[in-house]
Amino acid sequence: MDDELEAHAEAGTWEMVDLPPGKSVVGSIWVYKVKTKSDARQWGIHQMDVKNAFLHGELQEEVYMQPPPGLPHEPNHVCRLRRASYGLKQAPRAWFEKFNNTILQYGFTQSFCDSAMLMKDLGSLSYFLSIEVCMSSTGYFISQVKYASEILQRAGLSDNKVTDTPLELNVKYSPTDGTLLSNPTLYRQLVGSLNYLTVTRPDISHAVHIVSQFMSAPRSTYYAAILRILRYIKGSLHQGLCFSSKSDLTLQAYSDSDWAGDVTDRKSITGYWVFLGDSLISWRSKKQSVVSCSSAEAEYRALAHTTSELIWLRWLLCDMGVQISAPTPLYCDNKDAIQITHNDVFHERTKHIEIDCHFTRHHFKKGTITLPHVKSEFQVADLFIKTHSAARLRFLISRLKMCTPPS
């Protein structure tokens, strides 16, 4: 509390004044939160905390606050706020602008930032935004075991039942299945939490994408699907992603699509994943925005989405000092979609996807991507577009470089 009050004093958050006649005053309380740390070895990443990160904007309004408990003050004095939060969106933006200008002017050193920006070194990175980080001699391992356990607890899954796949094989859902839930709050909370869990669990991305489509009117059938996803997570609780320290810095991607897989609107699903060396860094499972008239069209739309992601990742790596001059291989299992890219002549069946064709072909000819063919059984992006048997799922997950914590 003393450190917090001292930080406010240094930031000039308030001044002590008598409350003017006719003015109201807001209260103040202390809110405490436990900061979790994992058992650690030797970390290569440090975590910095910005003191009062939401207090980097000038307050224009006239606001008075009761002095926080523990702050010495004269009787009848209140705090007239000078600086305050812009809100969750604007405050970090204001702070980042200040931080960026400081770095540009003085360069980055840990001690300088601590003094100039009121930053605190929290030591080696081990736990951040519910993500657990562990380092070994081979690289980094990230997981969300504690966060996943909290989701299971919220859903009330206290038994030992587990499943070996997130969804039943070939299952299809429609908006009229089952009965409407009388209270949809828990359903929506669980879906939101599962979406965040996909940060380290790409193996549930497709299943979470499916149940996310019924947020507006959740039904009993979809809630049963969520429980199955949770039982799958319970059986693989300690799974996470490995990032090798010995991997090369080359990109490769896999793109895939089903065709008219949604039984309600007949839209297709795009699935892709991108590797940096042998580390998975980007993936997606998302329903396409329009109906495709052929499997080749659905595959081509997926290629265009994946190409856009690759362009951004290549730019990002270049900005970080990693130069990528060679084309990025984008593996596709649809020969028709690959041939459309090679062929300058638009046929009748492809003219309605002309923009996607031109976009992908442009970057193919520019040398941004190549389009090698991959057999369907080795198309790893297949994980993000449909359900699978337990054996097929295990094979695809093994290609994701998912693993358990290093011993």
Side-chain angles (χ1 to χ4, degrees):
M1 290 169 60
D2 290 339
D3 290 342
E4 184 75 9
L5 291 174
E6 182 180 349
H8 280 291
E10 292 182 24
T13 304
W14 56 60
E15 63 177 338
M16 305 305 298
V17 299
D18 290 319
L19 182 65
K23 298 293 183 178
S24 58
V25 61
V26 297
S28 63
I29 61 173
W30 289 101
V31 179
Y32 300 94
K33 182 175 177 62
V34 174
K35 300 247 180 155
T36 305
K37 289 187 177 181
S38 300
D39 293 334
R41 297 188 187 182
Q42 295 179 351
W43 304 110
I45 301 177
H46 274 242
Q47 185 175 352
M48 304 295 290
D49 179 42
V50 183
K51 298 178 181 178
N52 309 114
F54 297 102
L55 298 175
H56 286 271
E58 297 295 336
L59 184 64
Q60 303 299 324
E61 297 82 0
E62 191 174 358
V63 178
Y64 298 91
M65 183 186 77
Q66 290 284 359
L71 177 67
H73 63 280
E74 297 292 330
N76 302 322
H77 270 197
V78 296
C79 299
R80 185 173 73 86
L81 301 183
R82 293 172 174 170
R83 307 174 67 85
S85 149
Y86 275 136
L88 291 178
K89 291 184 179 179
Q90 292 87 349
R93 189 179 307 143
W95 174 84
F96 182 77
E97 181 179 353
K98 179 180 178 182
F99 177 81
N100 195 47
N101 290 337
T102 303
I103 297 302
L104 290 175
Q105 184 175 0
Y106 299 105
F108 181 87
T109 64
Q110 187 170 308
S111 58
F112 175 79
C113 286
D114 187 26
S115 60
M117 301 297 297
L118 296 179
M119 296 179 72
K120 182 179 180 181
D121 182 11
L122 299 181
S124 302
L125 177 63
S126 58
Y127 192 89
F128 179 71
L129 297 178
S130 298
I131 298 174
E132 298 157 48
V133 182
C134 180
M135 181 182 174
S136 69
S137 58
T138 58
Y140 288 92
F141 172 79
I142 64 171
S143 63
Q144 293 168 282
V145 178
K146 180 177 181 293
Y147 183 74
S149 299
E150 291 171 350
I151 301 175
L152 295 173
Q153 185 177 9
R154 188 182 311 159
L157 291 183
S158 57
D159 55 49
N160 295 322
K161 295 180 180 178
V162 298
T163 60
D164 52 7
T165 60
L167 293 177
E168 296 179 19
L169 184 62
N170 299 324
V171 67
K172 298 290 183 180
Y173 297 103
S174 72
T176 57
D177 291 339
T179 58
L180 284 170
L181 298 179
S182 58
N183 184 0
T185 300
L186 179 59
Y187 180 95
R188 291 166 179 162
Q189 289 176 342
L190 292 175
V191 171
S193 299
L194 287 171
N195 264 299
Y196 187 62
L197 187 60
T198 62
V199 169
T200 61
R201 294 295 301 265
D203 53 329
I204 64 170
S205 292
H206 173 67
V208 174
H209 160 70
I210 295 298
V211 296
S212 296
Q213 298 179 44
F214 305 104
M215 296 278 278
S216 60
R219 292 174 171 262
S220 57
T221 304
Y222 322 142
Y223 186 73
I226 287 182
L227 294 181
R228 182 182 176 94
I229 297 172
L230 292 174
R231 294 191 186 282
Y232 168 76
I233 293 169
K234 191 170 187 177
S236 55
L237 188 62
H238 294 275
Q239 287 285 321
L241 284 175
C242 294
F243 298 94
S244 173
S245 59
K246 301 177 182 178
S247 175
D248 59 43
L249 299 178
T250 58
L251 286 173
Q252 60 174 325
Y254 290 80
S255 174
D256 201 6
S257 173
D258 71 344
W259 179 42
D262 192 293
V263 296
T264 304
D265 56 20
R266 309 310 294 178
K267 292 179 180 178
S268 306
I269 296 178
T270 289
Y272 68 72
W273 56 7
V274 183
F275 286 90
L276 182 62
D278 57 4
S279 299
L280 181 66
I281 61 171
S282 179
W283 58 90
R284 192 174 198 185
S285 176
K286 183 176 177 61
K287 188 162 67 172
Q288 296 179 1
S289 58
V290 297
V291 177
S292 296
C293 297
S294 67
S295 59
E297 179 182 344
E299 293 273 4
Y300 215 94
R301 295 192 191 282
L303 282 176
H305 294 156
T306 313
T307 301
S308 296
E309 180 73 0
L310 287 174
I311 293 170
W312 180 78
L313 287 171
R314 287 169 65 99
W315 172 86
L316 178 63
L317 288 169
C318 180
D319 192 54
M320 297 172 66
V322 180
Q323 300 297 326
I324 298 180
S325 56
T328 298
L330 171 52
Y331 292 92
C332 175
D333 63 0
N334 189 289
K335 292 183 177 179
D336 289 339
I338 294 175
Q339 289 172 356
I340 293 172
T341 306
H342 287 269
N343 189 355
D344 286 333
V345 179
F346 281 89
H347 300 288
E348 183 70 20
R349 65 190 178 96
T350 61
K351 66 181 182 180
H352 53 291
I353 55 169
E354 183 175 352
I355 293 177
D356 284 336
C357 287
H358 277 303
F359 176 75
T360 306
R361 181 176 300 142
H362 167 75
H363 287 285
F364 175 77
K365 290 188 172 182
K366 185 181 177 181
T368 306
I369 60 171
T370 60
L371 288 173
H373 178 261
V374 62
K375 292 183 178 180
S376 295
E377 57 262 38
F378 299 113
Q379 172 54 280
V380 290
D382 198 34
L383 177 67
F384 297 130
I385 64 171
K386 58 187 177 185
T387 59
H388 298 280
S389 66
R392 174 67 174 168
L393 182 67
R394 285 193 297 269
F395 168 76
L396 294 173
I397 289 176
S398 69
R399 304 292 298 275
L400 280 173
K401 300 300 179 182
M402 292 189 66
C403 60
T404 54
S407 57

